Amino acid sequence: MIGLRYWRARKDTRFVSFITLFSVLGITIGVAALIMVSSVMNGLEDRLKGQILGSVPQITLTAAKGDTIPTVSTFDGVKAQVPMLASEALLSQGGQMSGAQVIGISPELEQPVSPVAAAMVHGQFNNLVSGQYQVLLGSGLARKLNVWSGDTIRIMTSGGARYTPMGRVPGQRLFTVSGIFELGAEVDQAMALIHIDDAKRLLRQSHQSRLYLDDAFTAPELSTQLQQQYPQLTVQDWRQQYGQLFAAVKMEKRMMSLLLGLIIAVAAFNIVSALVMMVTDKTADMAILKTQGFSRHHIMQVFTVQGMSSALLGTVIGAVIGLFLTWQMQPLLSMLGIWLLPPGQPLPVLIDYQQVILVVLGALLLSYLATIYPAWRASHVNPAEVLRHE
């Protein structure tokens, strides 16, 4: 109760109250900003995971010629196992050329699980028919080649190279564009889908399987487990292609959290300043309380309660403001005419409530640590020496 009275007191401690106010505002701004930024970063990471890792092979199993690929769809976290053939290729049409990853798929098996099936902007996903040599292109790749549905492109790949009297000739075939998809990610500029039967004739390589996972981020652990259980297979996961991208996103999240956490740390140091001045101002009060039987532990509690009251108030207000602005971020930005992404693309936001709890607990812990020294100093007041001059 004494700590709360000191915290509410304003008379004769206006400068201390001014510093306390700024410490509360600093914690509020730090907590709110950390919740908002971490939620946006979570949303961007989740969008990348859905758009990129949902469309590229999350785990690829490759068997040597003559070997079969076992069924591993019973493993925990595996949503589906489908046949696949993939190779890097060169696509050309007229004077336009572009490199891309060509993936041979079975449309019937892929349609229930592939995000590409729901991202078609022209044509149908099941337009791919065996023997008709049709191809689905990403929207960015189609723009590079300046083609549309019904146009013909040439696909050349070293995977199906043939030896002729003129030397080694890359495998090539004319394909008809039967559809265009748009995932809104990098894969739109570098992925083409063909029927797996056509891919077998074009690529002439060992058959493969791709695994769709419930969570693409579990691929590293699962691929290690599969490699240990089936050493005869070659197991690869999405990290070979996009590991650096997601490592950079994770690093950026950590650095942003660290920078915004420093705001909370600075506000906590303001609590130290306010408490030190309060201890100096209330030295005589502490001496009197000690003569009345207060122990050092009780004196420490007085100033700890005073400092934590400011921290708790700032943290609660910051958490409420942060969550509210996060929920209303896109409507507010739209109302102000601000588009952080290309027009028409909403800002992805994903609130991780465990992360919010960690932010709140972290702010309170920093603030508690900031109260220890001033409270300890107040508890070591010598009543005889202080009251001698009163």
Side-chain angles (χ1 to χ4, degrees):
M1 295 298 295
I2 296 175
L4 290 176
R5 284 180 59 191
Y6 284 167
W7 179 67
R8 291 195 300 267
R10 293 293 180 266
K11 187 178 180 181
D12 300 328
T13 57
R14 291 181 179 177
F15 185 64
V16 176
S17 300
F18 179 76
I19 296 177
T20 302
L21 174 63
F22 266 82
S23 66
V24 172
L25 289 177
I27 293 174
T28 299
I29 294 172
V31 170
L34 194 51
I35 290 174
M36 292 168 59
V37 171
S38 61
S39 298
V40 172
M41 294 298 294
N42 290 339
L44 288 172
E45 185 179 52
D46 187 68
R47 175 178 287 185
L48 286 174
K49 183 168 70 171
Q51 293 178 339
I52 295 180
L53 300 187
S55 56
V56 302
Q58 296 169 359
I59 292 182
T60 303
L61 308 178
T62 306
K65 288 186 178 180
D67 293 341
T68 58
I69 298 177
T71 300
V72 298
S73 55
T74 55
F75 278 67
D76 290 338
V78 178
K79 181 163 43 176
Q81 178 180 1
V82 294
M84 179 200 74
L85 281 176
S87 177
E88 298 297 324
L90 184 65
L91 282 62
S92 65
Q93 200 279 335
Q96 307 296 324
M97 301 182 72
S98 179
Q101 184 182 36
V102 175
I103 302 177
I105 63 170
S106 175
E108 298 79 12
L109 299 177
E110 290 270 355
Q111 189 158 8
V113 291
S114 175
V116 177
M120 299 296 299
V121 295
H122 194 268
Q124 299 295 322
F125 185 76
N126 55 10
N127 280 352
L128 298 180
V129 179
S130 176
Q132 294 190 8
Y133 295 99
Q134 296 174 325
V135 61
L136 304 178
L137 299 178
S139 58
L141 184 58
R143 283 192 292 270
K144 285 182 182 179
L145 298 174
N146 194 25
V147 296
W148 193 246
S149 294
D151 293 338
T152 301
I153 64 172
R154 183 177 298 276
I155 298 180
M156 295 176 285
T157 173
S158 60
R162 299 167 177 82
Y163 289 93
T164 68
M166 301 297 295
R168 192 169 183 264
V169 178
Q172 54 182 302
R173 187 90 190 195
L174 291 176
F175 281 78
T176 301
V177 179
S178 62
I180 295 173
F181 60 86
E182 185 168 9
L183 293 164
E186 181 185 352
V187 292
D188 289 338
Q189 304 180 34
M191 190 168 73
L193 304 179
I194 62 177
H195 198 282
I196 191 169
D197 292 337
D198 300 337
K200 290 177 181 177
R201 302 184 189 99
L202 175 67
L203 302 178
R204 297 185 179 183
Q205 65 183 31
S206 301
H207 61 291
Q208 300 170 311
S209 280
R210 70 182 292 180
L211 303 183
Y212 284 95
L213 307 180
D214 294 326
D215 183 0
F217 285 167
T218 62
E221 294 81 6
L222 184 57
S223 60
T224 301
Q225 183 181 354
L226 291 171
Q227 190 67 79
Q228 292 173 349
Q229 188 160 343
Y230 302 104
Q232 75 277 13
L233 299 178
T234 300
V235 182
Q236 295 180 311
D237 58 55
W238 57 263
R239 290 176 299 172
Q240 275 72 33
Q241 283 183 288
Y242 297 100
Q244 291 183 344
L245 171 63
F246 283 90
V249 171
K250 185 172 293 186
M251 178 62 70
E252 187 175 357
K253 284 177 60 179
R254 290 175 179 172
M255 292 305 299
M256 290 297 296
S257 299
L258 177 61
L259 292 174
L260 293 173
L262 291 176
I263 298 177
I264 301 175
V266 170
F269 282 121
N270 285 336
I271 293 178
V272 174
S273 303
L275 285 182
V276 167
M277 286 186 285
M278 182 63 73
V279 168
T280 303
D281 184 62
K282 301 296 183 181
T283 299
D285 293 3
M286 295 303 102
I288 293 172
L289 289 174
K290 274 198 168 185
T291 61
Q292 293 179 348
F294 265 56
S295 65
R296 289 182 175 179
H297 177 67
H298 290 142
I299 299 296
M300 286 191 68
Q301 282 185 338
V302 169
F303 289 96
T304 300
V305 168
Q306 182 184 353
M308 289 303 294
S309 298
S310 301
L312 184 61
L313 178 64
T315 302
V316 171
I317 295 176
V320 172
I321 292 176
L323 288 173
F324 175 77
L325 291 179
T326 300
W327 286 325
Q328 301 297 322
M329 187 175 299
Q330 187 55 52
L332 290 174
L333 291 176
S334 300
M335 185 174 62
L336 296 173
I338 300 173
W339 291 93
L340 300 179
L341 296 177
Q345 291 190 25
L347 190 68
V349 173
L350 178 62
I351 300 176
D352 184 346
Y353 289 99
Q354 290 184 347
Q355 204 171 53
V356 172
I357 293 173
L358 286 177
V359 169
V360 170
L361 293 179
L364 293 177
L365 178 61
L366 276 175
S367 302
Y368 173 74
L369 294 176
T371 65
I372 292 178
Y373 173 71
W376 175 85
R377 181 178 169 183
S379 69
H380 282 71
V381 168
N382 188 339
E385 185 176 340
V386 172
L387 295 178
R388 184 191 310 166
H389 304 288
E390 293 294 326

